[in-house]
Amino acid sequence: MNCTYNRTWVEIEEMLERAERKQNKHLAKMHSHSTNKHEVMMHMRNYKALEGVIKALKWTLGDKDVEHPLV
């Protein structure tokens, strides 16, 4: 692994906010009546992937509701 460990808490919080906004956009697209089955599946995959990202970022920030990001 080649890590620099130079991210600030502000950068991590901003990334969390961006991920949550992006996840909300995918959720809205999934529930849109103009979205076909293939698009719904794509938005669901992206939504679920961002769920993991969000959980990991919250864990990194010490969110007490997230015991372990892989569970």
Side-chain angles (χ1 to χ4, degrees):
M1 197 153 53
N2 190 15
C3 301
T4 61
Y5 298 101
N6 65 351
R7 301 283 187 243
T8 66
W9 292 113
V10 172
E11 288 176 306
I12 295 168
E13 289 170 349
E14 288 172 352
M15 183 61 66
L16 174 59
E17 290 173 14
R18 287 177 56 199
E20 288 174 331
R21 280 195 308 271
K22 201 166 191 172
Q23 187 186 42
N24 287 333
K25 287 181 183 180
H26 286 295
L27 182 63
K29 289 286 190 177
M30 283 189 300
H31 293 294
S32 173
H33 294 293
S34 63
T35 307
N36 66 41
K37 184 178 178 180
H38 175 73
E39 291 170 327
V40 168
M41 302 230 349
M42 181 213 40
H43 289 295
M44 177 59 83
R45 275 193 305 270
N46 289 330
Y47 177 89
K48 294 301 286 181
L50 285 165
E51 199 172 73
V53 169
I54 290 166
K55 192 172 185 181
L57 289 169
K58 285 183 176 184
W59 178 82
T60 301
L61 291 168
D63 187 323
K64 293 178 182 177
D65 294 331
V66 180
E67 287 184 30
H68 195 284
L70 299 178
V71 177

